[in-house]
PDB file of all heavy atoms in Angstrom:
ATOM      1  N   TYR A  43      -3.966  13.452  12.684  1.00 97.00           N
ATOM      2  CA  TYR A  43      -5.415  13.348  12.810  1.00 97.00           C
ATOM      3  C   TYR A  43      -5.976  12.542  11.647  1.00 97.00           C
ATOM      4  O   TYR A  43      -5.468  12.621  10.527  1.00 97.00           O
ATOM      5  CB  TYR A  43      -6.059  14.739  12.797  1.00 97.00           C
ATOM      6  CG  TYR A  43      -5.537  15.649  13.888  1.00 97.00           C
ATOM      7  CD1 TYR A  43      -4.491  16.525  13.643  1.00 97.00           C
ATOM      8  CD2 TYR A  43      -6.097  15.614  15.161  1.00 97.00           C
ATOM      9  CE1 TYR A  43      -4.008  17.350  14.647  1.00 97.00           C
ATOM     10  CE2 TYR A  43      -5.623  16.442  16.159  1.00 97.00           C
ATOM     11  CZ  TYR A  43      -4.572  17.308  15.899  1.00 97.00           C
ATOM     12  OH  TYR A  43      -4.102  18.118  16.892  1.00 97.00           O
ATOM     13  N   ASP A  44      -7.052  11.800  11.905  1.00 97.00           N
ATOM     14  CA  ASP A  44      -7.722  11.081  10.825  1.00 97.00           C
ATOM     15  C   ASP A  44      -8.724  12.017  10.142  1.00 97.00           C
ATOM     16  O   ASP A  44      -8.803  13.208  10.474  1.00 97.00           O
ATOM     17  CB  ASP A  44      -8.376   9.790  11.322  1.00 97.00           C
ATOM     18  CG  ASP A  44      -9.501  10.013  12.315  1.00 97.00           C
ATOM     19  OD1 ASP A  44      -9.971  11.168  12.489  1.00 97.00           O
ATOM     20  OD2 ASP A  44      -9.934   9.023  12.937  1.00 97.00           O
ATOM     21  N   ARG A  45      -9.491  11.503   9.195  1.00 95.00           N
ATOM     22  CA  ARG A  45     -10.437  12.334   8.436  1.00 95.00           C
ATOM     23  C   ARG A  45     -11.565  12.876   9.301  1.00 95.00           C
ATOM     24  O   ARG A  45     -12.180  13.872   8.964  1.00 95.00           O
ATOM     25  CB  ARG A  45     -10.996  11.541   7.261  1.00 95.00           C
ATOM     26  CG  ARG A  45      -9.917  11.279   6.210  1.00 95.00           C
ATOM     27  CD  ARG A  45     -10.451  10.587   5.014  1.00 95.00           C
ATOM     28  NE  ARG A  45     -11.442  11.424   4.346  1.00 95.00           N
ATOM     29  CZ  ARG A  45     -12.266  10.988   3.437  1.00 95.00           C
ATOM     30  NH1 ARG A  45     -12.230   9.721   3.074  1.00 95.00           N
ATOM     31  NH2 ARG A  45     -13.122  11.781   2.861  1.00 95.00           N
ATOM     32  N   GLN A  46     -11.833  12.241  10.433  1.00 96.00           N
ATOM     33  CA  GLN A  46     -12.875  12.719  11.342  1.00 96.00           C
ATOM     34  C   GLN A  46     -12.300  13.679  12.388  1.00 96.00           C
ATOM     35  O   GLN A  46     -12.953  13.998  13.371  1.00 96.00           O
ATOM     36  CB  GLN A  46     -13.571  11.547  12.045  1.00 96.00           C
ATOM     37  CG  GLN A  46     -14.463  10.716  11.154  1.00 96.00           C
ATOM     38  CD  GLN A  46     -13.664   9.797  10.228  1.00 96.00           C
ATOM     39  OE1 GLN A  46     -12.622   9.281  10.587  1.00 96.00           O
ATOM     40  NE2 GLN A  46     -14.166   9.610   9.018  1.00 96.00           N
ATOM     41  N   GLU A  47     -11.043  14.113  12.183  1.00 95.00           N
ATOM     42  CA  GLU A  47     -10.338  15.063  13.041  1.00 95.00           C
ATOM     43  C   GLU A  47     -10.063  14.532  14.449  1.00 95.00           C
ATOM     44  O   GLU A  47      -9.944  15.289  15.399  1.00 95.00           O
ATOM     45  CB  GLU A  47     -11.066  16.414  13.094  1.00 95.00           C
ATOM     46  CG  GLU A  47     -11.176  17.059  11.739  1.00 95.00           C
ATOM     47  CD  GLU A  47     -11.889  18.403  11.769  1.00 95.00           C
ATOM     48  OE1 GLU A  47     -12.109  18.967  12.860  1.00 95.00           O
ATOM     49  OE2 GLU A  47     -12.223  18.887  10.677  1.00 95.00           O
ATOM     50  N   ARG A  48      -9.951  13.201  14.572  1.00 97.00           N
ATOM     51  CA  ARG A  48      -9.557  12.582  15.834  1.00 97.00           C
ATOM     52  C   ARG A  48      -8.046  12.374  15.813  1.00 97.00           C
ATOM     53  O   ARG A  48      -7.494  11.905  14.807  1.00 97.00           O
ATOM     54  CB  ARG A  48     -10.240  11.230  16.019  1.00 97.00           C
ATOM     55  CG  ARG A  48     -11.746  11.308  16.181  1.00 97.00           C
ATOM     56  CD  ARG A  48     -12.306   9.909  16.320  1.00 97.00           C
ATOM     57  NE  ARG A  48     -11.936   9.123  15.140  1.00 97.00           N
ATOM     58  CZ  ARG A  48     -12.772   8.362  14.447  1.00 97.00           C
ATOM     59  NH1 ARG A  48     -14.024   8.250  14.816  1.00 97.00           N
ATOM     60  NH2 ARG A  48     -12.366   7.689  13.396  1.00 97.00           N
ATOM     61  N   GLU A  49      -7.403  12.692  16.928  1.00 97.00           N
ATOM     62  CA  GLU A  49      -5.961  12.474  16.993  1.00 97.00           C
ATOM     63  C   GLU A  49      -5.690  10.975  17.069  1.00 97.00           C
ATOM     64  O   GLU A  49      -6.230  10.285  17.930  1.00 97.00           O
ATOM     65  CB  GLU A  49      -5.341  13.169  18.206  1.00 97.00           C
ATOM     66  CG  GLU A  49      -3.852  13.001  18.231  1.00 97.00           C
ATOM     67  CD  GLU A  49      -3.170  13.789  19.329  1.00 97.00           C
ATOM     68  OE1 GLU A  49      -3.760  14.761  19.842  1.00 97.00           O
ATOM     69  OE2 GLU A  49      -2.049  13.409  19.684  1.00 97.00           O
ATOM     70  N   VAL A  50      -4.850  10.481  16.152  1.00 97.00           N
ATOM     71  CA  VAL A  50      -4.529   9.056  16.115  1.00 97.00           C
ATOM     72  C   VAL A  50      -3.059   8.787  16.405  1.00 97.00           C
ATOM     73  O   VAL A  50      -2.675   7.644  16.639  1.00 97.00           O
ATOM     74  CB  VAL A  50      -4.935   8.421  14.759  1.00 97.00           C
ATOM     75  CG1 VAL A  50      -6.450   8.420  14.602  1.00 97.00           C
ATOM     76  CG2 VAL A  50      -4.264   9.127  13.597  1.00 97.00           C
ATOM     77  N   GLY A  51      -2.234   9.835  16.373  1.00 97.00           N
ATOM     78  CA  GLY A  51      -0.809   9.658  16.623  1.00 97.00           C
ATOM     79  C   GLY A  51      -0.152  10.960  17.017  1.00 97.00           C
ATOM     80  O   GLY A  51      -0.693  12.042  16.774  1.00 97.00           O
ATOM     81  N   CYS A  52       1.025  10.840  17.626  1.00 98.00           N
ATOM     82  CA  CYS A  52       1.754  12.025  18.066  1.00 98.00           C
ATOM     83  C   CYS A  52       3.247  11.732  18.031  1.00 98.00           C
ATOM     84  O   CYS A  52       3.678  10.609  18.290  1.00 98.00           O
ATOM     85  CB  CYS A  52       1.321  12.414  19.478  1.00 98.00           C
ATOM     86  SG  CYS A  52       2.055  13.952  20.059  1.00 98.00           S
ATOM     87  N   ILE A  53       4.017  12.765  17.719  1.00 96.00           N
ATOM     88  CA  ILE A  53       5.474  12.687  17.701  1.00 96.00           C
ATOM     89  C   ILE A  53       5.975  13.795  18.624  1.00 96.00           C
ATOM     90  O   ILE A  53       5.622  14.959  18.443  1.00 96.00           O
ATOM     91  CB  ILE A  53       6.026  12.914  16.274  1.00 96.00           C
ATOM     92  CG1 ILE A  53       5.442  11.894  15.309  1.00 96.00           C
ATOM     93  CG2 ILE A  53       7.551  12.884  16.277  1.00 96.00           C
ATOM     94  CD1 ILE A  53       5.649  12.247  13.854  1.00 96.00           C
ATOM     95  N   ARG A  54       6.791  13.427  19.619  1.00 95.00           N
ATOM     96  CA  ARG A  54       7.322  14.405  20.567  1.00 95.00           C
ATOM     97  C   ARG A  54       8.846  14.323  20.552  1.00 95.00           C
ATOM     98  O   ARG A  54       9.420  13.260  20.819  1.00 95.00           O
ATOM     99  CB  ARG A  54       6.837  14.130  21.981  1.00 95.00           C
ATOM    100  CG  ARG A  54       5.364  14.229  22.155  1.00 95.00           C
ATOM    101  CD  ARG A  54       4.950  13.932  23.601  1.00 95.00           C
ATOM    102  NE  ARG A  54       3.539  13.646  23.694  1.00 95.00           N
ATOM    103  CZ  ARG A  54       2.584  14.561  23.665  1.00 95.00           C
ATOM    104  NH1 ARG A  54       2.905  15.822  23.547  1.00 95.00           N
ATOM    105  NH2 ARG A  54       1.312  14.218  23.742  1.00 95.00           N
ATOM    106  N   GLN A  55       9.477  15.445  20.248  1.00 94.00           N
ATOM    107  CA  GLN A  55      10.935  15.478  20.224  1.00 94.00           C
ATOM    108  C   GLN A  55      11.484  15.556  21.642  1.00 94.00           C
ATOM    109  O   GLN A  55      10.994  16.322  22.475  1.00 94.00           O
ATOM    110  CB  GLN A  55      11.434  16.681  19.430  1.00 94.00           C
ATOM    111  CG  GLN A  55      12.931  16.723  19.294  1.00 94.00           C
ATOM    112  CD  GLN A  55      13.415  17.848  18.408  1.00 94.00           C
ATOM    113  OE1 GLN A  55      12.650  18.720  18.006  1.00 94.00           O
ATOM    114  NE2 GLN A  55      14.688  17.834  18.088  1.00 94.00           N
TER     115      GLN A  55
END
Side-chain angles (χ1 to χ4, degrees):
Y43 303 94
D44 64 12
R45 291 184 63 194
Q46 289 75 35
E47 299 180 12
R48 294 179 302 227
E49 183 174 339
V50 293
C52 185
I53 302 166
R54 297 180 197 283
Q55 184 175 9

